[in-house]
Coordinates of all heavy atoms in Angstrom, one line a residue:
M1 N 6.1 -1.1 -16.0 CA 5.5 -0.2 -15.1 C 6.2 -0.3 -13.8 O 6.6 -1.4 -13.3 CB 3.9 -0.5 -14.9 CG 3.3 0.5 -13.8 SD 1.7 0.1 -13.3 CE 0.8 0.3 -14.7
L2 N 6.4 0.9 -13.2 CA 7.1 0.9 -11.9 C 6.3 1.7 -10.9 O 6.1 2.9 -11.2 CB 8.6 1.6 -12.0 CG 9.3 1.8 -10.8 CD1 9.8 0.4 -10.3 CD2 10.6 2.5 -11.2
A3 N 5.7 1.1 -9.8 CA 4.9 1.8 -8.9 C 5.7 2.0 -7.6 O 6.2 1.1 -7.1 CB 3.6 1.0 -8.6
L4 N 5.8 3.3 -7.2 CA 6.6 3.5 -6.0 C 5.7 4.3 -5.0 O 4.9 5.2 -5.4 CB 7.7 4.5 -6.4 CG 8.7 3.9 -7.4 CD1 9.7 4.9 -7.8 CD2 9.4 2.7 -6.8
K5 N 5.7 3.8 -3.8 CA 5.0 4.4 -2.6 C 5.9 5.5 -2.0 O 6.9 5.1 -1.4 CB 4.6 3.4 -1.7 CG 3.7 3.9 -0.6 CD 3.2 2.8 0.3 CE 2.4 3.4 1.5 NZ 2.0 2.4 2.4
V6 N 5.5 6.7 -1.9 CA 6.2 7.8 -1.3 C 5.5 8.3 -0.1 O 6.1 9.2 0.7 CB 6.8 8.9 -2.2 CG1 7.7 8.3 -3.3 CG2 5.6 9.6 -2.8
F7 N 4.3 8.0 0.0 CA 3.4 8.6 1.1 C 3.2 7.5 2.2 O 3.1 6.4 2.0 CB 2.0 9.0 0.6 CG 2.1 10.2 -0.3 CD1 2.3 10.2 -1.5 CD2 2.0 11.6 0.3 CE1 2.4 11.3 -2.4 CE2 1.9 12.7 -0.4 CZ 2.2 12.6 -1.8
D8 N 3.2 8.1 3.5 CA 2.9 7.1 4.5 C 1.5 7.0 4.8 O 0.6 7.6 3.9 CB 3.6 7.6 5.8 CG 3.1 9.0 6.3 OD1 2.0 9.4 5.9 OD2 3.8 9.7 7.1
G9 N 1.0 6.3 5.8 CA -0.4 6.0 6.0 C -1.2 7.3 6.3 O -2.4 7.4 6.3
G10 N -0.4 8.4 6.8 CA -1.2 9.7 7.0 C -1.2 10.6 5.9 O -1.4 11.7 6.0
R11 N -0.9 10.0 4.7 CA -0.8 10.9 3.4 C 0.2 12.0 3.5 O 0.0 13.0 3.0 CB -2.2 11.4 3.1 CG -3.3 10.3 2.9 CD -4.7 10.8 2.7 NE -4.8 11.9 1.7 CZ -5.9 12.5 1.4 NH1 -6.9 12.2 2.1 NH2 -6.0 13.5 0.7
R12 N 1.3 11.7 4.1 CA 2.4 12.6 4.1 C 3.6 12.0 3.5 O 3.8 10.8 3.5 CB 2.7 13.0 5.6 CG 1.7 13.7 6.2 CD 2.0 14.1 7.7 NE 2.3 12.8 8.5 CZ 1.5 12.4 9.3 NH1 0.3 13.0 9.5 NH2 1.7 11.2 9.9
T13 N 4.6 12.8 3.0 CA 5.8 12.4 2.5 C 6.9 13.4 2.9 O 6.5 14.5 3.4 CB 5.8 12.2 0.9 OG1 6.9 11.4 0.6 CG2 5.7 13.4 0.1
T14 N 8.1 13.1 2.5 CA 9.2 14.0 2.7 C 9.9 14.2 1.4 O 9.8 13.4 0.5 CB 10.2 13.4 3.6 OG1 10.9 12.2 2.9 CG2 9.6 13.0 5.0
S15 N 10.6 15.3 1.3 CA 11.4 15.6 0.1 C 12.4 14.5 -0.1 O 12.7 14.1 -1.3 CB 12.1 17.0 0.2 OG 11.2 18.0 0.3
R16 N 12.9 14.0 0.9 CA 14.0 12.9 0.8 C 13.4 11.7 0.0 O 13.9 11.1 -0.8 CB 14.5 12.5 2.1 CG 15.6 11.5 2.1 CD 16.1 11.2 3.4 NE 17.3 10.6 3.3 CZ 18.2 10.6 4.2 NH1 18.1 11.3 5.4 NH2 19.5 10.1 4.1
R17 N 12.1 11.3 0.5 CA 11.5 10.1 -0.1 C 11.1 10.4 -1.6 O 11.4 9.5 -2.4 CB 10.2 9.8 0.7 CG 10.4 8.8 1.7 CD 9.0 8.3 2.2 NE 9.0 8.9 3.6 CZ 7.8 9.1 4.2 NH1 6.6 8.7 3.7 NH2 7.8 9.5 5.4
L18 N 10.6 11.6 -1.8 CA 10.2 11.9 -3.2 C 11.4 12.0 -4.1 O 11.5 11.3 -5.2 CB 9.5 13.1 -3.1 CG 8.9 13.7 -4.5 CD1 8.0 12.6 -5.1 CD2 8.0 14.9 -4.3
A19 N 12.5 12.6 -3.7 CA 13.7 12.8 -4.5 C 14.2 11.3 -4.8 O 14.7 11.1 -6.0 CB 14.7 13.6 -3.8
S20 N 14.3 10.5 -3.8 CA 14.8 9.1 -3.9 C 14.0 8.4 -4.9 O 14.5 7.7 -5.8 CB 14.8 8.4 -2.6 OG 15.2 7.1 -2.7
A21 N 12.7 8.5 -5.0 CA 11.9 7.8 -5.9 C 12.1 8.3 -7.3 O 12.1 7.6 -8.2 CB 10.4 8.0 -5.5
L22 N 12.2 9.6 -7.5 CA 12.5 10.2 -8.7 C 13.9 9.8 -9.3 O 14.0 9.5 -10.5 CB 12.5 11.7 -8.7 CG 11.0 12.3 -8.4 CD1 11.1 13.8 -8.1 CD2 10.0 12.0 -9.5
R23 N 14.9 9.7 -8.5 CA 16.1 9.2 -8.9 C 16.2 7.7 -9.3 O 16.7 7.4 -10.3 CB 17.3 9.4 -7.8 CG 17.6 10.9 -7.6 CD 18.8 11.1 -6.7 NE 18.6 10.5 -5.4 CZ 18.1 11.2 -4.3 NH1 17.9 12.6 -4.5 NH2 18.0 10.7 -3.1
L24 N 15.2 7.0 -8.6 CA 15.1 5.6 -9.0 C 14.4 5.5 -10.5 O 14.8 4.7 -11.3 CB 14.2 4.8 -8.0 CG 14.0 3.3 -8.4 CD1 15.4 2.5 -8.5 CD2 13.1 2.7 -7.4
C25 N 13.5 6.4 -10.7 CA 12.9 6.5 -12.0 C 13.9 6.7 -13.1 O 13.9 6.1 -14.1 CB 11.8 7.5 -12.1 SG 10.3 7.1 -11.1
L26 N 14.8 7.6 -12.7 CA 15.9 8.0 -13.7 C 16.8 6.8 -14.0 O 17.1 6.5 -15.1 CB 16.7 9.2 -13.1 CG 17.8 9.7 -14.0 CD1 17.3 10.2 -15.3 CD2 18.6 10.8 -13.3
R27 N 17.2 6.2 -12.9 CA 18.1 4.9 -13.0 C 17.4 3.8 -13.9 O 18.1 3.2 -14.6 CB 18.5 4.4 -11.7 CG 19.5 5.2 -11.1 CD 20.2 4.6 -9.8 NE 19.3 4.0 -8.9 CZ 18.8 4.8 -7.8 NH1 19.1 6.0 -7.7 NH2 17.9 4.2 -6.9
R28 N 16.1 3.7 -13.6 CA 15.4 2.6 -14.4 C 15.0 2.9 -15.7 O 14.3 2.4 -16.5 CB 14.1 2.2 -13.6 CG 14.4 1.6 -12.3 CD 14.6 0.0 -12.4 NE 14.9 -0.6 -11.1 CZ 14.0 -1.2 -10.3 NH1 12.8 -1.2 -10.8 NH2 14.4 -1.7 -9.2
R29 N 15.2 4.3 -16.1 CA 14.9 4.8 -17.4 C 13.4 4.8 -17.7 O 12.9 4.6 -18.8 CB 15.6 4.1 -18.5 CG 17.2 4.3 -18.5 CD 17.8 3.6 -19.6 NE 19.2 4.0 -19.7 CZ 20.2 3.2 -19.3 NH1 19.9 2.1 -18.7 NH2 21.4 3.6 -19.3
V30 N 12.7 5.3 -16.7 CA 11.3 5.3 -16.8 C 10.9 6.5 -17.8 O 11.4 7.6 -17.6 CB 10.5 5.5 -15.4 CG1 9.1 5.9 -15.6 CG2 10.9 4.3 -14.5
K31 N 10.1 6.3 -18.7 CA 9.8 7.3 -19.8 C 8.6 8.2 -19.5 O 8.5 9.3 -19.9 CB 9.5 6.7 -21.1 CG 10.8 6.0 -21.7 CD 11.8 7.1 -21.9 CE 13.1 6.6 -22.4 NZ 14.2 7.6 -22.3
I32 N 7.6 7.7 -18.6 CA 6.5 8.5 -18.3 C 6.4 8.4 -16.7 O 6.2 7.3 -16.2 CB 5.2 8.1 -18.9 CG1 5.3 8.2 -20.4 CG2 4.0 8.9 -18.4 CD1 4.1 7.6 -21.2
V33 N 6.4 9.6 -16.1 CA 6.3 9.6 -14.7 C 5.1 10.4 -14.2 O 4.9 11.5 -14.8 CB 7.6 10.3 -14.0 CG1 7.5 10.4 -12.5 CG2 8.9 9.5 -14.4
V34 N 4.2 9.8 -13.5 CA 3.0 10.4 -13.0 C 3.1 10.8 -11.6 O 3.3 9.9 -10.7 CB 1.8 9.6 -13.3 CG1 0.5 10.2 -12.9 CG2 1.7 9.1 -14.8
L35 N 3.0 12.1 -11.2 CA 3.0 12.5 -9.9 C 1.7 13.1 -9.5 O 1.5 14.4 -9.8 CB 4.1 13.6 -9.7 CG 5.5 13.1 -9.9 CD1 6.5 14.3 -9.8 CD2 5.9 12.1 -8.8
P36 N 0.7 12.4 -9.0 CA -0.6 12.9 -8.6 C -0.6 13.6 -7.3 O -1.2 13.3 -6.3 CB -1.6 11.7 -8.6 CG -0.7 10.6 -8.2 CD 0.8 11.0 -8.8
L37 N 0.3 14.6 -7.2 CA 0.5 15.3 -5.9 C 0.8 16.8 -6.2 O 1.2 17.2 -7.4 CB 1.7 14.8 -5.1 CG 3.0 14.6 -5.9 CD1 3.8 15.9 -5.7 CD2 3.8 13.4 -5.3
G38 N 0.7 17.6 -5.2 CA 1.1 19.0 -5.4 C 1.1 19.7 -4.0 O 0.5 19.3 -3.1
T39 N 1.6 20.9 -4.0 CA 1.7 21.6 -2.8 C 1.8 23.1 -3.3 O 2.3 23.4 -4.4 CB 2.9 21.3 -1.9 OG1 3.0 22.1 -0.9 CG2 4.3 21.4 -2.8
P40 N 1.3 24.1 -2.5 CA 1.3 25.5 -2.7 C 2.8 26.1 -2.7 O 3.0 27.1 -3.3 CB 0.3 26.2 -1.8 CG -0.2 25.2 -1.0 CD 0.4 23.8 -1.3
R41 N 3.6 25.3 -2.0 CA 4.9 25.8 -1.9 C 6.0 24.9 -2.6 O 5.7 23.8 -2.8 CB 5.3 26.1 -0.4 CG 5.3 24.8 0.4 CD 5.5 25.1 1.9 NE 5.7 23.8 2.6 CZ 4.8 23.1 3.0 NH1 3.5 23.2 2.7 NH2 5.0 21.9 3.6
R42 N 7.2 25.5 -2.9 CA 8.2 24.7 -3.5 C 8.7 23.6 -2.7 O 8.8 23.7 -1.5 CB 9.3 25.5 -3.9 CG 9.2 26.4 -5.2 CD 10.4 27.2 -5.4 NE 11.5 26.5 -5.9 CZ 12.0 26.5 -7.1 NH1 11.4 27.2 -8.0 NH2 12.9 25.7 -7.5
A43 N 9.1 22.5 -3.3 CA 9.7 21.4 -2.6 C 11.2 21.8 -2.5 O 11.7 22.8 -3.0 CB 9.5 20.2 -3.4
S44 N 12.0 20.8 -2.0 CA 13.3 21.0 -1.8 C 14.1 21.1 -3.2 O 13.6 20.6 -4.1 CB 13.9 19.9 -0.9 OG 14.0 18.7 -1.8
A45 N 15.4 21.6 -3.0 CA 16.2 21.6 -4.3 C 16.5 20.3 -4.8 O 16.6 20.0 -6.0 CB 17.4 22.4 -3.9
S46 N 16.6 19.3 -3.9 CA 16.9 18.0 -4.3 C 15.8 17.4 -5.2 O 16.1 16.7 -6.2 CB 17.3 17.0 -3.1 OG 16.1 16.8 -2.3
V47 N 14.5 17.6 -4.9 CA 13.5 17.2 -5.6 C 13.4 17.9 -7.0 O 13.1 17.3 -8.1 CB 12.1 17.3 -4.9 CG1 10.9 17.1 -5.8 CG2 12.1 16.5 -3.6
G48 N 13.6 19.2 -7.0 CA 13.7 19.9 -8.2 C 14.8 19.5 -9.2 O 14.5 19.4 -10.4
R49 N 16.0 19.2 -8.6 CA 17.0 18.7 -9.5 C 16.7 17.3 -10.0 O 16.9 17.0 -11.2 CB 18.3 18.5 -8.6 CG 19.1 19.8 -8.4 CD 20.4 19.6 -7.8 NE 20.5 19.0 -6.5 CZ 20.3 19.5 -5.4 NH1 20.2 20.8 -5.3 NH2 20.3 18.8 -4.2
A50 N 16.1 16.5 -9.1 CA 15.6 15.1 -9.7 C 14.7 15.3 -10.8 O 14.7 14.6 -11.8 CB 15.1 14.3 -8.6
L51 N 13.7 16.1 -10.7 CA 12.6 16.4 -11.8 C 13.4 16.8 -13.1 O 13.1 16.4 -14.1 CB 11.6 17.4 -11.3 CG 10.5 16.8 -10.5 CD1 9.6 17.9 -9.9 CD2 9.7 15.8 -11.3
S52 N 14.3 17.8 -12.9 CA 15.0 18.4 -14.0 C 15.8 17.3 -14.7 O 15.8 17.2 -16.0 CB 15.9 19.6 -13.6 OG 15.1 20.5 -13.2
R53 N 16.5 16.5 -14.0 CA 17.2 15.4 -14.6 C 16.4 14.4 -15.4 O 16.8 13.9 -16.4 CB 18.1 14.7 -13.5 CG 19.2 15.4 -13.0 CD 20.0 14.7 -12.0 NE 21.0 15.5 -11.4 CZ 21.3 15.7 -10.2 NH1 20.6 14.9 -9.2 NH2 22.3 16.5 -9.7
L54 N 15.2 14.1 -14.8 CA 14.3 13.2 -15.5 C 13.9 13.7 -16.8 O 13.9 13.1 -17.8 CB 13.1 13.0 -14.6 CG 13.0 11.8 -13.7 CD1 11.8 11.8 -12.8 CD2 13.0 10.5 -14.5
V55 N 13.5 15.0 -16.9 CA 13.1 15.7 -18.1 C 14.1 15.7 -19.0 O 14.0 15.4 -20.3 CB 12.5 17.1 -17.8 CG1 12.2 17.9 -19.2 CG2 11.2 16.9 -17.0
R56 N 15.4 16.0 -18.6 CA 16.5 16.1 -19.5 C 16.9 14.8 -20.1 O 17.4 14.7 -21.2 CB 17.7 16.7 -18.8 CG 17.7 18.2 -18.6 CD 19.1 18.8 -18.3 NE 19.7 18.2 -17.2 CZ 19.6 18.5 -16.0 NH1 18.9 19.6 -15.6 NH2 20.3 17.8 -14.9
S57 N 16.5 13.7 -19.4 CA 16.9 12.3 -19.9 C 15.8 11.9 -20.9 O 15.9 10.8 -21.5 CB 16.9 11.4 -18.7 OG 15.6 11.0 -18.3
G58 N 14.8 12.7 -21.1 CA 13.7 12.3 -22.1 C 12.5 11.9 -21.5 O 11.5 11.5 -22.2
S59 N 12.3 11.8 -20.2 CA 11.1 11.4 -19.5 C 10.1 12.5 -19.6 O 10.3 13.7 -19.6 CB 11.3 11.1 -18.0 OG 12.2 9.9 -17.9
V60 N 8.8 12.1 -19.7 CA 7.7 13.1 -19.6 C 7.2 13.0 -18.2 O 6.8 11.8 -17.7 CB 6.5 12.7 -20.6 CG1 5.4 13.5 -20.5 CG2 7.1 12.8 -22.0
V61 N 7.0 14.1 -17.5 CA 6.5 14.1 -16.2 C 5.2 14.8 -16.2 O 5.0 16.0 -16.4 CB 7.5 15.0 -15.3 CG1 7.1 15.0 -13.8 CG2 9.0 14.4 -15.3
L62 N 4.2 14.0 -15.8 CA 2.7 14.5 -15.6 C 2.5 14.7 -14.2 O 2.7 13.9 -13.3 CB 1.8 13.5 -16.2 CG 2.0 13.0 -17.7 CD1 1.2 11.8 -18.0 CD2 1.7 14.1 -18.6
V63 N 1.9 15.9 -13.9 CA 1.7 16.2 -12.5 C 0.3 16.8 -12.4 O -0.3 17.2 -13.3 CB 2.7 17.3 -11.9 CG1 4.1 16.7 -11.9 CG2 2.6 18.5 -12.7
S64 N -0.2 16.7 -11.2 CA -1.6 17.4 -10.9 C -1.5 18.9 -11.0 O -0.5 19.5 -10.3 CB -2.0 16.9 -9.5 OG -3.1 17.7 -9.0
A65 N -2.5 19.6 -11.5 CA -2.5 21.0 -11.5 C -2.9 21.6 -10.2 O -2.3 22.6 -9.7 CB -3.5 21.5 -12.5
G66 N -3.5 20.7 -9.4 CA -4.0 21.0 -8.0 C -5.4 21.2 -7.8 O -6.1 21.2 -8.8
N67 N -5.9 21.4 -6.6 CA -7.2 21.6 -6.2 C -7.5 22.9 -5.5 O -8.3 23.0 -4.7 CB -7.6 20.5 -5.2 CG -7.5 19.0 -6.0 OD1 -7.6 18.9 -7.2 ND2 -7.2 18.1 -5.2
E68 N -6.9 24.0 -6.0 CA -7.0 25.2 -5.4 C -7.9 26.2 -6.2 O -7.8 27.5 -5.9 CB -5.6 25.9 -5.1 CG -4.7 25.0 -4.3 CD -5.3 24.8 -3.0 OE1 -5.8 25.6 -2.3 OE2 -5.0 23.6 -2.5
G69 N -8.6 25.7 -7.3 CA -9.4 26.5 -8.1 C -10.6 27.1 -7.4 O -10.7 27.0 -6.3
P70 N -11.3 28.0 -8.1 CA -11.3 28.2 -9.6 C -10.4 29.4 -10.1 O -10.4 29.8 -11.2 CB -12.7 28.5 -9.9 CG -13.3 29.2 -8.8 CD -12.5 28.7 -7.5
S71 N -9.8 30.1 -9.3 CA -9.0 31.4 -9.7 C -7.9 31.0 -10.6 O -7.2 29.9 -10.4 CB -8.6 32.1 -8.5 OG -9.6 32.5 -7.7
F72 N -7.6 31.8 -11.5 CA -6.4 31.7 -12.3 C -5.1 32.0 -11.5 O -5.1 32.8 -10.6 CB -6.4 32.7 -13.5 CG -5.4 32.6 -14.5 CD1 -5.6 31.7 -15.5 CD2 -4.2 33.4 -14.5 CE1 -4.6 31.5 -16.5 CE2 -3.3 33.2 -15.4 CZ -3.5 32.2 -16.4
G73 N -4.1 31.2 -11.8 CA -2.8 31.4 -11.2 C -2.7 30.5 -9.9 O -1.9 30.8 -8.9
T74 N -3.5 29.5 -9.8 CA -3.5 28.7 -8.6 C -2.8 27.3 -8.7 O -2.9 26.5 -7.9 CB -5.0 28.5 -8.1 OG1 -5.7 27.9 -9.3 CG2 -5.7 29.7 -7.6
V75 N -2.2 27.1 -9.8 CA -1.3 25.9 -10.1 C -0.2 25.9 -9.1 O 0.5 26.8 -9.0 CB -0.8 25.7 -11.5 CG1 0.0 24.5 -11.7 CG2 -2.0 25.7 -12.5
G76 N -0.1 24.9 -8.3 CA 0.9 24.8 -7.3 C 2.2 24.0 -7.8 O 2.3 23.7 -9.0
W77 N 3.1 23.7 -6.9 CA 4.3 22.9 -7.3 C 4.0 21.4 -7.3 O 3.4 20.9 -6.4 CB 5.4 23.3 -6.3 CG 6.7 22.9 -6.7 CD1 7.6 23.6 -7.3 CD2 7.3 21.5 -6.5 NE1 8.8 22.9 -7.6 CE2 8.5 21.6 -7.1 CE3 6.8 20.4 -6.1 CZ2 9.4 20.6 -7.2 CZ3 7.6 19.3 -6.1 CH2 9.0 19.4 -6.7
P78 N 4.5 20.6 -8.2 CA 5.3 20.9 -9.2 C 4.7 21.3 -10.6 O 5.4 21.5 -11.7 CB 6.2 19.6 -9.4 CG 5.1 18.5 -9.1 CD 4.3 19.2 -8.0
G79 N 3.4 21.5 -10.6 CA 2.7 21.9 -11.8 C 3.1 23.2 -12.4 O 3.0 23.4 -13.6
S80 N 3.7 24.0 -11.6 CA 4.1 25.4 -12.1 C 5.5 25.3 -12.6 O 6.0 26.4 -13.2 CB 4.1 26.4 -10.8 OG 4.8 25.9 -9.7
R81 N 6.1 24.2 -12.7 CA 7.5 24.1 -13.3 C 7.3 24.0 -14.8 O 6.4 23.2 -15.2 CB 8.2 22.9 -12.7 CG 8.7 22.9 -11.3 CD 9.4 21.6 -11.0 NE 10.5 21.4 -11.8 CZ 11.8 21.7 -11.5 NH1 12.0 22.4 -10.4 NH2 12.7 21.5 -12.3
L82 N 8.1 24.7 -15.5 CA 8.0 24.6 -16.9 C 8.3 23.2 -17.5 O 7.9 22.8 -18.5 CB 8.9 25.6 -17.6 CG 8.5 27.1 -17.4 CD1 9.6 28.1 -18.0 CD2 7.2 27.4 -18.1
S83 N 9.1 22.4 -16.7 CA 9.5 21.1 -17.2 C 8.5 20.0 -17.0 O 8.7 18.9 -17.5 CB 10.8 20.7 -16.5 OG 10.7 20.6 -15.2
S84 N 7.4 20.3 -16.3 CA 6.4 19.3 -16.1 C 5.1 19.7 -16.8 O 4.9 20.7 -17.2 CB 6.2 19.1 -14.5 OG 5.7 20.4 -14.0
L85 N 4.3 18.7 -17.0 CA 3.0 18.8 -17.8 C 1.9 18.7 -16.8 O 1.6 17.7 -16.2 CB 2.9 17.8 -18.9 CG 1.6 17.8 -19.7 CD1 1.5 19.2 -20.4 CD2 1.7 16.7 -20.6
A86 N 1.3 19.8 -16.4 CA 0.2 19.9 -15.3 C -1.1 19.5 -16.0 O -1.5 20.0 -17.2 CB 0.1 21.3 -14.8
V87 N -1.8 18.6 -15.3 CA -3.1 18.1 -15.8 C -4.2 18.6 -14.8 O -4.1 18.3 -13.7 CB -3.1 16.6 -15.9 CG1 -4.4 16.0 -16.4 CG2 -1.8 16.2 -16.8
A88 N -5.3 19.2 -15.4 CA -6.4 19.8 -14.6 C -7.4 18.7 -14.6 O -7.4 17.8 -15.4 CB -6.9 21.0 -15.1
S89 N -8.4 18.8 -13.7 CA -9.6 18.0 -13.7 C -10.7 18.5 -14.7 O -10.8 19.8 -14.6 CB -10.1 17.9 -12.2 OG -11.3 17.2 -12.2
Y90 N -11.4 17.6 -15.3 CA -12.4 18.1 -16.3 C -13.7 17.4 -15.9 O -13.8 16.2 -15.6 CB -12.0 17.7 -17.6 CG -12.9 18.2 -18.8 CD1 -12.8 19.5 -19.2 CD2 -13.8 17.4 -19.4 CE1 -13.5 19.9 -20.3 CE2 -14.6 17.8 -20.4 CZ -14.5 19.1 -20.7 OH -15.3 19.6 -21.8
D91 N -14.8 18.2 -15.9 CA -16.1 17.7 -15.6 C -16.9 17.5 -17.0 O -17.3 18.4 -17.5 CB -16.8 18.7 -14.8 CG -18.2 18.1 -14.3 OD1 -18.8 17.3 -14.9 OD2 -18.7 18.7 -13.3
Y92 N -17.0 16.2 -17.3 CA -17.7 15.8 -18.5 C -19.2 16.2 -18.5 O -19.9 16.5 -19.6 CB -17.5 14.5 -18.9 CG -16.1 14.1 -19.4 CD1 -15.2 13.6 -18.5 CD2 -15.7 14.4 -20.8 CE1 -13.8 13.4 -18.9 CE2 -14.5 14.2 -21.2 CZ -13.5 13.7 -20.3 OH -12.2 13.5 -20.7
A93 N -19.8 16.3 -17.3 CA -21.2 16.6 -17.2 C -21.5 18.0 -17.6 O -22.5 18.4 -18.2 CB -21.7 16.4 -15.8
T94 N -20.6 19.0 -17.2 CA -20.7 20.4 -17.5 C -19.9 20.8 -18.8 O -20.0 21.9 -19.3 CB -20.3 21.1 -16.4 OG1 -18.9 21.0 -16.2 CG2 -21.2 21.0 -15.2
N95 N -19.0 19.9 -19.2 CA -18.0 20.2 -20.3 C -17.2 21.4 -20.0 O -16.8 22.2 -20.9 CB -18.9 20.4 -21.7 CG -18.5 19.7 -22.8 OD1 -17.7 18.7 -22.6 ND2 -18.9 20.0 -24.0
K96 N -16.7 21.5 -18.7 CA -15.8 22.4 -18.3 C -14.8 22.0 -17.4 O -14.9 20.8 -16.8 CB -16.6 23.6 -17.5 CG -17.6 24.3 -18.4 CD -18.3 25.4 -17.6 CE -19.4 26.1 -18.4 NZ -20.1 27.0 -17.7
I97 N -13.7 22.7 -17.1 CA -12.8 22.3 -16.1 C -13.5 22.3 -14.7 O -14.3 23.2 -14.5 CB -11.6 23.3 -16.1 CG1 -10.8 23.3 -17.3 CG2 -10.7 23.1 -14.9 CD1 -9.8 24.4 -17.5
S98 N -13.2 21.3 -13.9 CA -13.9 21.1 -12.7 C -13.7 22.4 -11.8 O -12.5 23.0 -11.8 CB -13.4 19.9 -11.9 OG -13.6 18.8 -12.6
R99 N -14.6 22.8 -11.1 CA -14.6 24.1 -10.3 C -13.4 24.1 -9.3 O -12.7 25.1 -9.1 CB -15.9 24.3 -9.5 CG -15.9 25.6 -8.7 CD -17.3 26.1 -8.4 NE -17.3 27.2 -7.6 CZ -16.9 28.4 -8.0 NH1 -16.6 28.7 -9.2 NH2 -17.0 29.5 -7.1
F100 N -13.1 23.0 -8.7 CA -12.0 23.0 -7.8 C -10.7 23.0 -8.3 O -9.7 23.1 -7.6 CB -12.3 21.7 -6.8 CG -12.2 20.3 -7.6 CD1 -10.9 19.8 -7.8 CD2 -13.3 19.7 -8.0 CE1 -10.9 18.5 -8.5 CE2 -13.2 18.6 -8.7 CZ -12.0 17.9 -9.0
S101 N -10.6 22.6 -9.7 CA -9.3 22.4 -10.3 C -8.4 23.8 -10.5 O -9.1 24.7 -10.7 CB -9.5 21.8 -11.7 OG -8.2 21.3 -12.2
S102 N -7.2 23.6 -10.2 CA -6.4 24.8 -10.3 C -6.3 25.2 -11.7 O -6.4 24.4 -12.6 CB -4.9 24.6 -9.8 OG -5.0 24.3 -8.3
R103 N -6.0 26.5 -12.0 CA -5.8 27.1 -13.2 C -4.6 27.9 -13.4 O -4.1 28.5 -12.4 CB -7.1 27.9 -13.6 CG -8.3 27.0 -13.7 CD -9.5 28.0 -13.6 NE -10.8 27.3 -13.9 CZ -11.4 26.4 -13.0 NH1 -10.8 26.1 -11.9 NH2 -12.5 25.9 -13.4
G104 N -4.1 28.1 -14.6 CA -3.0 28.9 -14.8 C -2.4 28.8 -16.2 O -2.9 27.9 -17.0
P105 N -1.4 29.4 -16.5 CA -0.9 29.4 -17.9 C -0.3 28.0 -18.2 O -0.1 27.7 -19.4 CB 0.2 30.5 -18.0 CG 0.5 30.7 -16.5 CD -0.7 30.4 -15.8
L106 N 0.1 27.2 -17.2 CA 0.8 26.0 -17.4 C -0.1 24.8 -17.3 O 0.3 23.7 -17.4 CB 2.0 25.8 -16.5 CG 3.0 27.0 -16.6 CD1 4.0 26.8 -15.5 CD2 3.5 27.1 -18.0
A107 N -1.4 24.9 -17.1 CA -2.4 23.8 -16.9 C -3.5 23.9 -17.9 O -3.9 25.0 -18.2 CB -3.0 23.8 -15.5

């Protein structure tokens, strides 16, 4: 297991920090990468390239679908990338996807 901190104390990160962490995962041959983060807008090209390289190397990339639900088509980045596997929140009490969880064809 490899745990990397990319967020600061204010729950913020930069594309540079995220891309650097993803490149480290690639160098260490991490097979499963979990990114419990998301944004409504695309990240930098360097982060996109790092994610693509990870997937091409055989890594599975699990990402948050997001918390912009309940409307369809609300999955943000990187969950909207075809190369990542977006995971939504599920409410076992109601046996349904959580109301706040983003939805879309990729989640």
Side-chain angles (χ1 to χ4, degrees):
M1 180 189 293
L2 177 66
L4 301 172
K5 182 179 177 181
V6 296
F7 287 88
D8 63 19
R11 297 174 50 183
R12 291 180 301 258
T13 192
T14 63
S15 291
R16 184 180 198 151
R17 266 190 253 160
L18 185 54
S20 177
L22 293 171
R23 288 190 298 268
L24 180 59
C25 289
L26 182 62
R27 285 193 305 275
R28 297 270 181 101
R29 295 186 174 98
V30 174
K31 290 299 175 193
I32 300 173
V33 177
V34 180
L35 296 173
L37 55 87
T39 179
R41 56 188 195 278
R42 276 181 76 105
S44 73
S46 63
V47 175
R49 282 190 303 273
L51 277 172
S52 294
R53 287 180 185 135
L54 267 171
V55 171
R56 283 196 310 269
S57 77
S59 295
V60 175
V61 180
L62 302 169
V63 300
S64 168
N67 297 330
E68 304 300 323
S71 298
F72 187 81
T74 53
V75 176
W77 192 94
S80 57
R81 289 181 60 92
L82 290 174
S83 60
S84 57
L85 180 61
V87 180
S89 172
Y90 188 79
D91 185 341
Y92 286 97
T94 63
N95 232 11
K96 296 180 181 178
I97 295 174
S98 301
R99 181 157 176 74
F100 62 83
S101 192
S102 294
R103 292 159 172 77
L106 303 176

